[in-house]
Amino acid sequence: MVHKPTKVELAAAVGRTVPDVIAPNLKVLFCGINPSVYTAVVTYNFARPGNRFWPTLFAAGFTPRLFKPEEQQELLPLGFGITNVVDRATVAAADLSIAELRKGGKQLVEKVHKYNPQVLALLGISVYQAAFGQKGSGVGLQNLMIGNTQVWVLPNPSGLNAHFPPRRLAEVYRELQNYVG
């Protein structure tokens, strides 16, 4: 079980990085904005209590059961991985500048060319718009391709995203799951 970080540990985690869960030729490379300090302390993606990533993956049919964050490596045999637009952990995504998001977008393009996933799924409309300069974009399949990789935008699974309650979040993620089969 993941331990609950202390305030001191959380404060010390600002700026840390968390390794990607990645391999060549994945079906979907899920891409968050950046790691939270909570994630940086425990070293598992989407580990913060209240984050709906893992329950949503299960509800949408990506995983055969509800995975715990510490089981993140079990995504790889299923054809799924995790990365972030910006590698450094922050207290809030709002701590990132537009320039940092754009730089992260360029680095993400390089990563996608290297690993060649079928789909790059960006978790958040605003991060996609900022990182790739795609104003007016919405959720779903995008016109943008990176090499042979299709770009897809999904709602951010943060518990703070009130626009998408759990059931609706799962429905939108299921559209991608149906797309990649």
Side-chain angles (χ1 to χ4, degrees), residues 120-141:
L120 173 67
L122 285 122
L123 307 183
I125 297 168
S126 60
V127 72
Y128 173 64
Q129 292 174 344
F132 292 97
Q134 300 291 318
K135 300 292 179 210
S137 305
V139 168
L141 184 64

Side-chain angles (χ1 to χ4, degrees), residues 27-29 31 85 105 108-109 112 117-125 127-129 131-132 134 137-154 176 179-180:
K27 291 181 191 175
V28 179
L29 180 58
C31 183
V85 174
L108 184 58
V109 167
V112 166
Q118 181 182 342
V119 174
L120 173 67
L122 285 122
L123 307 183
I125 297 168
V127 72
Y128 173 64
Q129 292 174 344
F132 292 97
Q134 300 291 318
S137 305
V139 168
L141 184 64
Q142 304 298 307
N143 290 327
L144 179 67
M145 296 225 14
I146 301 171
N148 296 321
T149 300
Q150 185 64 60
V151 176
W152 198 288
V153 174
L154 293 169
L176 172 58
Y179 179 82
V180 297

Side-chain angles (χ1 to χ4, degrees), residues 4-150:
K4 185 176 180 192
T6 65
K7 288 182 183 181
V8 171
E9 287 175 313
L10 293 172
V14 172
R16 284 191 198 159
T17 60
V18 176
D20 289 338
V21 177
I22 196 166
N25 304 312
L26 296 168
K27 291 181 191 175
V28 179
L29 180 58
F30 292 99
C31 183
I33 301 168
N34 73 309
S36 70
V37 291
Y38 191 104
T39 287
V41 171
V42 301
T43 69
Y44 301 115
N45 290 283
F46 304 103
R48 184 182 178 100
N51 191 296
R52 302 174 298 172
F53 180 76
W54 298 104
T56 300
L57 285 191
F58 174 60
F62 285 99
T63 59
R65 62 177 174 78
L66 178 57
F67 285 3
K68 297 174 186 168
E70 58 268 31
E71 297 175 302
Q72 66 185 7
Q73 292 296 325
E74 293 186 35
L75 288 175
L76 292 174
L78 299 174
F80 309 119
I82 302 171
T83 192
N84 289 288
V85 174
V86 174
D87 291 333
R88 77 177 181 94
T90 59
V91 173
D95 296 340
L96 302 171
S97 69
I98 294 293
E100 195 170 11
L101 289 167
R102 287 196 178 125
K103 180 181 176 188
K106 289 177 184 169
Q107 292 169 333
L108 184 58
V109 167
E110 292 171 12
K111 193 177 292 185
V112 166
H113 282 298
K114 178 179 178 179
Y115 288 98
N116 195 36
Q118 181 182 342
V119 174
L120 173 67
L122 285 122
L123 307 183
I125 297 168
S126 60
V127 72
Y128 173 64
Q129 292 174 344
F132 292 97
Q134 300 291 318
K135 300 292 179 210
S137 305
V139 168
L141 184 64
Q142 304 298 307
N143 290 327
L144 179 67
M145 296 225 14
I146 301 171
N148 296 321
T149 300
Q150 185 64 60

